[in-house]
Each structure stands twice: as structure tokens, then as C-alpha cells.
Amino acid sequence: MMGPTVSQALRIGEVAKQVGTTPRTIRYYEELGLLPPAEHRASGQHRVYGEDDVERLREALQLKELLGLSLDELRELLEAEEARAARREEFWSEGVSPARRREILVQGLDHVDRQLELVRRRRDDIGALERELEEHRARITQRFDELT
Amino acid sequence: MMGPTVSQALRIGEVAKQVGTTPRTIRYYEELGLLPPAEHRASGQHRVYGEDDVERLREALQLKELLGLSLDELRELLEAEEARAARREEFWSEGVSPARRREILVQGLDHVDRQLELVRRRRDDIGALERELEEHRARITQRFDELT
DNA sequence: TTGCTCCTCACGTCACGTGAGGTGGC
DNA sequence: TTGCTCCTCACGTCACGTGAGGTGGC
């Protein structure tokens, strides 16, 4: 008998493959306190993860990769994500005043806006580089036409 | 008396500041053979650079930063740049047949197209991340409206 | 002459990679 | 039982950072 679809139990190698990294990196992040230690586990036992862990790790690694963050910067970002998760939970729990709900949403907006600013700055830098290369390409094709 | 504006002589600290890095990094790249050793210099003497060195280094560091290249990958890219510079020189020298000129241009196109592909892949990755964040933002503002 | 930047070792650090030797679950 | 992946040290590596002690040019 299977219960309702519960978060699939995954081992570290499978998690690493799914998010595009190595077991060593995941253990290292846990050691630094970047990731919560995989629960229910005595030393020497296998680490067990769920689909939600995979999603969180995937997002974190993508931000690190694309924004070129250090692990210290990544830590800040992950802590902000933690706070966000806590706010989400409070938002959906019962007996929360509309005023508090609004406050939570505003904080969520602040958070996503900060991330958007970082991402857009990168996008602009990449865009500038792309335009440079395109101009360079245009000069070459123009010279080609002049030659004909 | 000053001659015609000749490439300004710069020391390593000034170069580092202009390209946004440190003297240590420049020395390290030279040690690895990534950069040609600053010329006319006995051991213990100050390194001297020109504006063209600054430009080449700036481009290289930008590519490394924005594409997340390792120094080995950066080396390949710099070698391709070297080859490009050699082709440019041949292109503009006298007594080169139009057929050879065409060939040179085609190789230049290949080179810039390869770089463009790398840059566009990054741009797409960043773009996907940006859209994700924008959708997230939209969900928050929508919830805000529902609350009112 | 006094600062300032430069020089060359050389050890430290960050973010993992890579075995070495051993244990655990389909 | 046999593979496979997992575990924990622990040393290695890549890309520099950071003094230590000394020399060189406005």
C-alpha cells in the first residue's frame, strides 16, 4: 500500500545529479551551515532528501552560477529565502489580521525586487557584451561586401 | 618636446585599477602565461604597460566574469584572440590576394560567432531567471489586490 | 630625503576535487 | 553474496589574498 504521494526519498548522488553538482559540494554546503543538515540521521548514516530540498538547492545554485556569488553572499540570499518561507507559512495560517497579511506581502515584494535588481544588472552587462560582439560581426560582414 | 601621442606608459597598479582587478591577479596571469610578460624588463624591475594592454585585459576579464570561465577556458579564448590579431595584421598588409582576404574574414566571422553563441546562452539563462522572478512578483501583487 | 608604488618569495584562504579505507541498503 | 552508492577523514588544487622584507622612481 502506498500513502498519498509523499516527498520522494532521494540520496545525495541523485540530488546532485538532478541539480547539476556533486555530492561533495552538497556535503560542503551542509558543513558550512548553508544547507540544513539532512534530518533523521546519525553520523555515518546516509543522507536522505526530498523533492523540496532539490528545488531549493537548484534555485540557490542557479543564482550563485548566474550572478557569480560567493558562498558568503549565497548564505545571505538563502537566509532571506528562509525568512520568506516563514512569512509564507504565517500568511496562510489562520487568525492572521489583514493588516499583517498586507505587511507580509510588502516584505515579499521587497525581497523579490532586490533579487530582480541583481539579475537585471547582470542582464544589462551581458546585453552590452552581446551588442559589442554584434557590432564587431557587422564590421566584418561589411568588409566582406566591400571586397566583392 | 612630445612626439605623437604614443601609448601611455602605465604601471601595474594603475592598470589593475582601470580594469577592476588587483596587481596580484595580473602577475598571476603573467606567471601562468595567460598574459605576455610586460616587455623590456629585467627581474625586479617595474612592469610597464600600454593602453592596448589595458584594453585586452579588460575584455578578457569581462568575458571571464560574465561567462564564468576558468583560467584554462580563458586561455583558449585569449589564444583565439591572438590568432585574430595576427589575421587582422595580415589582412591589412600589402600584397594579400583577395581570395586570402576573404578567407581571413570568414575565419573572423567564425570566431565572433562562437563567442556570440556563448554570450547568448548566458543571456537566455539570465532571461529565464528574470522571467521566473517577474512571475513571482506578479503573484504577490495579485494576492495584494485580492486582499483589498 | 621622504612617501608611494613597485618587486619577489611564500604562506593563507576559498570552494571544492580526489583518493583511501570502510560501512550500508536494494 | 555481490555491486553500487554512501560515509568520514584528509590531502590536493585552483585562483587568487595577504603579509614580510626589500628596492626603485617622481
Side-chain angles (χ1 to χ4, degrees):
Chain A
M1 285 274 292
M2 290 183 60
T5 307
V6 126
S7 196
Q8 177 72 24
L10 300 166
R11 288 189 299 175
I12 197 169
E14 185 59 28
V15 173
K17 202 159 66 173
Q18 284 193 30
V19 305
T21 184
T22 68
R24 165 65 179 166
T25 295
I26 298 179
R27 288 191 204 105
Y28 182 56
Y29 287 8
E30 181 187 314
E31 186 188 333
L32 292 185
L34 276 177
L35 302 178
E39 249 151 279
H40 312 306
R41 164 172 179 277
S43 172
Q45 300 281 74
H46 289 192
R47 289 167 180 83
V48 173
Y49 300 91
E51 293 291 352
D52 46 344
D53 294 316
V54 173
E55 249 346 275
R56 273 208 298 275
L57 186 54
R58 193 203 309 282
E59 280 180 36
L61 286 177
Q62 216 190 37
L63 280 165
K64 178 185 187 297
E65 248 277 300
L66 292 179
L67 300 182
L69 303 179
S70 72
L71 291 191
D72 260 15
E73 292 165 324
L74 183 59
R75 179 198 304 273
E76 283 181 52
L77 207 144
L78 288 176
E79 279 166 6
E81 284 293 322
E82 279 298 299
R84 182 173 87 90
R87 284 198 305 268
R88 274 185 72 86
E89 193 156 354
E90 186 186 350
F91 185 89
W92 292 111
S93 68
E94 282 169 60
V96 180
S97 75
R100 176 65 185 145
R101 285 222 157 91
R102 243 185 294 277
E103 196 183 40
I104 288 173
L105 288 178
V106 168
Q107 287 169 1
L109 262 190
D110 274 11
H111 177 221
V112 72
D113 280 342
R114 273 196 301 278
Q115 287 191 210
L116 263 174
E117 206 193 314
L118 292 178
V119 170
R120 286 183 174 141
R121 196 170 308 162
R122 269 263 146 167
R123 181 201 59 186
D124 289 347
D125 289 349
I126 295 267
L129 181 56
E130 191 183 354
R131 266 191 304 284
E132 247 181 74
L133 288 172
E134 277 164 353
E135 279 168 29
H136 181 189
R137 208 201 122 95
R139 279 199 301 278
I140 296 178
T141 56
Q142 186 194 337
R143 234 167 253 145
F144 204 93
D145 292 348
E146 287 167 4
L147 213 72
T148 313
Chain B
M1 282 275 291
M2 289 183 61
T5 307
V6 125
S7 194
Q8 177 72 23
L10 300 166
R11 288 189 299 175
I12 197 168
E14 185 58 27
V15 172
K17 201 160 67 175
Q18 285 194 29
V19 305
T21 185
T22 68
R24 165 65 178 164
T25 295
I26 298 178
R27 287 191 206 106
Y28 183 56
Y29 287 8
E30 181 187 313
E31 186 188 332
L32 292 185
L34 276 177
L35 302 178
E39 248 150 281
H40 312 306
R41 166 173 177 276
S43 170
Q45 300 282 72
H46 289 191
R47 291 168 180 82
V48 174
Y49 300 90
E51 294 290 352
D52 45 344
D53 295 316
V54 173
E55 248 346 275
R56 274 207 297 274
L57 185 55
R58 192 202 311 280
E59 280 181 35
L61 287 177
Q62 217 191 35
L63 280 166
K64 178 183 188 298
E65 249 276 302
L66 292 179
L67 300 182
L69 302 180
S70 70
L71 291 191
D72 259 16
E73 292 165 322
L74 183 59
R75 180 199 303 275
E76 282 181 51
L77 207 143
L78 288 177
E79 280 165 5
E81 284 292 323
E82 279 297 300
R84 182 172 87 88
R87 285 198 305 268
R88 275 184 71 86
E89 195 158 352
E90 185 187 350
F91 184 89
W92 292 110
S93 68
E94 283 169 59
V96 180
S97 73
R100 176 65 185 145
R101 285 221 156 93
R102 245 185 292 275
E103 196 183 39
I104 289 173
L105 289 178
V106 168
Q107 287 170 0
L109 262 189
D110 275 11
H111 178 223
V112 71
D113 280 343
R114 273 196 301 277
Q115 286 190 211
L116 263 173
E117 207 193 315
L118 292 178
V119 170
R120 285 183 175 142
R121 196 170 307 163
R122 269 265 145 168
R123 181 202 59 185
D124 289 347
D125 289 349
I126 295 266
L129 181 56
E130 191 183 356
R131 266 190 304 282
E132 247 181 72
L133 288 172
E134 277 164 354
E135 280 167 29
H136 181 190
R137 209 200 121 96
R139 280 198 301 277
I140 297 179
T141 56
Q142 186 193 338
R143 235 168 251 144
F144 204 93
D145 292 348
E146 286 165 6
L147 213 73
T148 314

